[in-house]
Amino acid sequence: MTTRYEDTRTERDRPPTDRPADRWASMAELVGTALAGEELDLTGADVGRMEDAVEQLSRHRSAGGQVYGLTRGFGPLVRYPAGDDENVQGIGLVHHLCTGQGVPVSASASALSVWLRLQSMRLGYSAVPVPLWRQIAELHRRGFVPVMPSEGSLSASGDLVPLAHAALALGGAGHAWHEGAVVAAGQRLAGLAAAPVHWPARTALAFVNGSSVSLAVAALNHLEIDAQARALCAITGRLAALLGCNPQAYADGLQRARGHPGARRAAGWIRQEMPDGGAPSTDRPLQEPYSLRCVPQVVGAVVDQLAAQERILLVEAAGCTDNPVVVDGDVLHGGNFHALPVAFAADQHTVLAHQLAYLAERQLALLVDPATNGGRPPFLCPLPGQFSGLAGVQIAASSMVAKCRQHALPATVTAIPSNLNNQDHVPMALNAATAAAEAVRLTWLVIGSLMVAVAQLHWLAGTELPRRPGWQGLATRFTPLREDRPLANEVRAAATAARAGWGTPLLGSSMTGLPRGEFW
């Protein structure tokens, strides 16, 4: 006899069902909205919430209530009273946190970070004055993008250090992006005929006290990995067709038998690159190695994990990351700035990118080996021994996969307590996101290495590369490898073609903080 399960938990025990509104349907919609400079106007409801919060905070102070960062010092210095001048208090917060180092995060990530701070502050919980919000929004709308360092954030009280550098730039010091180059922020403001932002304590704290930098980098990584998943499926379909692999591994019915939606999507992408009704070659085994046969399961698992992380990151983007916050007339002190949700997602992104890089390298290894490439010459070299073909390409790709693995150590397990032990549990979200960004960059290069091999395989088979997105850029750049030549530029060109063909228009050339916005 079976008993139907009943949830016996009390209402108090059950998880809450209320959550931030679903403002964006997908990560692509969120990033597209942000980078297009949309949602930078306040509605009447926004203005009402923000003005009410400012008034409630003022009443709280007038009644003798204490406010972190406003009447008391910052961090563990909350034990001490704040200074009388809120402007001195605010700029002091910004100045003492401007200690970041390293390559800047990309201009895209910086712009997205500021946009996310504006979305957080417009909710009204941060008690930011409307005129100051509008000034920052207007600068952002007109293309002022601060430079933020990638190193120095614990992501505990949010990304304090990089956001302080952004605040410094908005205030006329520090640096800003302009046409892919780093310029003095004051020079950029002068070019816009715009006044610098002045930072009273509450607004300064509301701006720097959020998870927005790690969230922005993670959001962009998310789109990159999604594009890599699609690219690898397309490459797999082309390989399977060229080699004459058994197409049963990619049948929808096979994926339906297990039920994971990601595997069904991945198999569908693979089939798009395979001719209808193609019969397997009699020279191929009934079952291919896993790097070909299990692609729907591997890439599908990545796709499903991305879907799970997307929900978490969209909730983070829709909420308020700040401390303290004004809610229902109360000034509440807590930890809404702690970026562990973002950190977990960012750590997972590195693992996902590595899985795709590993899969691409294994397919490359299969292609250069006569035992698995259908009897073609080793390293797809027409004159092996006299020349070496793709041997160097595989060596470099193997090194890049190994480096991806180095980045895959979870940043969330590397926490170091700091700040007089006030920040004694820290998430390291930005470290996680920048490690993932580097893994993403390497993964694209491994995919580019594989695509060069696919182009050579086409030539050996006497067929041409398709003239459609993803392949077209490679088809116009690649010439058959009859003798050895440097291939580094061609690997990068192939990676760029893949990124452009299977990504979204949001994946521009300024996704890293390299000079002039060069991706590679």
Side-chain angles (χ1 to χ4, degrees):
M1 179 178 178
T2 60
T3 303
R4 181 181 177 86
Y5 171 76
E6 293 183 5
D7 189 345
T8 59
R9 294 173 297 174
T10 66
E11 193 65 33
R12 184 174 180 178
D13 294 329
R14 294 191 185 101
T17 56
D18 58 314
R19 57 185 177 159
D22 294 321
R23 291 184 59 186
W24 306 284
S26 67
M27 189 61 68
E29 182 183 328
L30 164 66
V31 174
T33 300
L35 297 186
E38 298 175 3
E39 298 189 12
L40 289 174
D41 294 314
L42 295 176
T43 66
D46 293 332
V47 171
R49 287 193 308 269
M50 295 173 73
E51 290 180 343
D52 285 348
V54 170
E55 183 181 347
Q56 289 162 8
L57 182 63
S58 178
R59 286 202 302 265
H60 178 80
R61 289 188 63 189
S62 298
Q66 297 297 302
V67 182
Y68 170 73
L70 198 55
T71 66
R72 312 298 298 180
F74 299 111
L77 303 179
V78 70
R79 298 174 179 270
Y80 299 89
D84 295 332
D85 191 328
E86 292 182 23
N87 293 310
V88 172
Q89 184 86 357
I91 198 60
L93 172 69
V94 171
H95 283 171
H96 94 271
L97 290 170
C98 284
T99 53
Q101 305 292 340
V103 174
V105 300
S106 72
S108 296
S110 292
L112 180 53
S113 299
V114 174
W115 186 87
L116 287 166
R117 291 316 302 139
L118 288 164
Q119 301 311 310
S120 176
M121 293 188 296
R122 78 186 301 162
L123 297 175
Y125 300 118
S126 294
V128 170
V130 169
L132 205 152
W133 188 97
R134 284 182 166 147
Q135 182 185 9
I136 300 170
E138 180 61 20
L139 284 172
H140 186 71
R141 184 184 292 107
R142 296 178 63 190
F144 184 90
V145 180
V147 171
M148 290 186 262
S150 61
E151 296 170 3
S153 179
L154 297 174
S155 305
S157 289
D159 293 309
L160 291 171
V161 167
L163 285 169
H165 281 268
L168 188 73
L170 286 162
H175 297 86
W177 291 102
H178 183 50
E179 297 181 347
V182 174
V183 300
Q187 172 188 334
R188 179 72 178 123
L189 287 173
L192 294 171
V197 175
H198 295 287
W199 294 105
R202 174 78 285 267
T203 305
L205 186 60
F207 186 82
V208 306
N209 219 18
S211 62
S212 300
V213 185
S214 25
L215 177 57
V217 177
L220 297 174
N221 290 340
H222 190 98
L223 296 181
E224 297 275 355
I225 297 168
D226 179 75
Q228 290 171 343
R230 294 168 188 268
L232 264 176
C233 286
I235 294 167
T236 298
R238 183 117 310 263
L239 283 180
L242 285 169
L243 296 175
C245 300
N246 188 340
Q248 291 179 2
Y250 316 120
D252 183 63
L254 183 73
Q255 319 313 322
R256 282 192 290 111
R258 191 174 188 185
H260 287 296
R264 292 191 70 181
R265 292 183 68 192
W269 294 334
I270 294 169
R271 291 195 303 273
Q272 289 175 6
E273 286 284 340
M274 301 182 71
D276 294 333
S281 169
T282 56
D283 296 329
R284 301 300 296 184
L286 175 65
Q287 296 192 151
E288 295 288 344
Y290 287 11
S291 62
L292 283 176
R293 180 166 32 124
C294 297
V295 173
Q297 290 72 33
V298 173
V299 175
V302 169
V303 170
D304 285 338
Q305 283 294 314
L306 284 175
Q309 303 306 325
E310 182 175 57
R311 176 61 193 157
I312 293 169
L313 295 175
L314 289 176
V315 169
E316 183 81 354
C320 176
T321 52
D322 192 8
N323 174 58
V325 292
V326 180
V327 183
D328 299 331
D330 295 323
V331 178
L332 305 176
H333 292 80
N336 274 357
F337 44 54
H338 197 284
L340 193 58
V342 180
F344 279 148
D347 274 343
Q348 186 70 351
H349 283 159
T350 310
V351 173
L352 300 181
H354 164 260
Q355 282 294 328
L356 298 179
Y358 175 37
L359 178 62
E361 190 278 334
R362 287 295 81 203
Q363 290 187 350
L364 175 61
L366 182 148
L367 273 185
V368 299
D369 188 346
T372 50
N373 69 9
R376 277 99 174 170
F379 301 113
L380 301 182
C381 181
L383 296 172
Q386 182 177 350
F387 299 111
S388 298
L390 296 172
V393 169
Q394 187 192 15
I395 288 170
S398 301
S399 171
M400 288 184 280
V401 172
K403 194 165 187 181
C404 278
R405 291 176 177 173
Q406 290 176 251
H407 289 294
L409 172 67
T412 48
V413 303
T414 64
I416 297 177
S418 187
N419 200 225
L420 300 186
N421 222 35
N422 170 53
Q423 297 187 27
D424 60 348
H425 188 291
V426 295
M428 300 294 187
L430 185 56
N431 284 5
T434 54
E438 178 63 7
V440 161
R441 184 184 70 84
L442 293 166
T443 297
W444 276 124
L445 291 171
V446 178
I447 290 172
S449 302
L450 174 61
M451 289 185 68
V452 168
V454 172
Q456 180 71 356
L457 180 64
H458 264 284
W459 175 65
L460 291 174
T463 58
E464 292 186 354
L465 282 162
R467 298 283 175 161
R468 57 176 177 268
W471 300 108
Q472 187 169 5
L474 180 61
T476 58
R477 294 286 299 273
F478 180 79
T479 55
L481 190 63
R482 295 181 172 88
E483 59 185 33
D484 292 339
R485 65 174 184 265
L487 291 171
N489 289 341
E490 289 171 62
V491 167
R492 289 196 296 272
T496 298
R499 192 165 172 263
W502 289 295
T504 74
L506 302 172
L507 301 184
S509 62
S510 59
M511 301 295 283
T512 72
L514 298 173
R516 297 289 172 187
E518 297 177 5
F519 187 82
W520 310 116

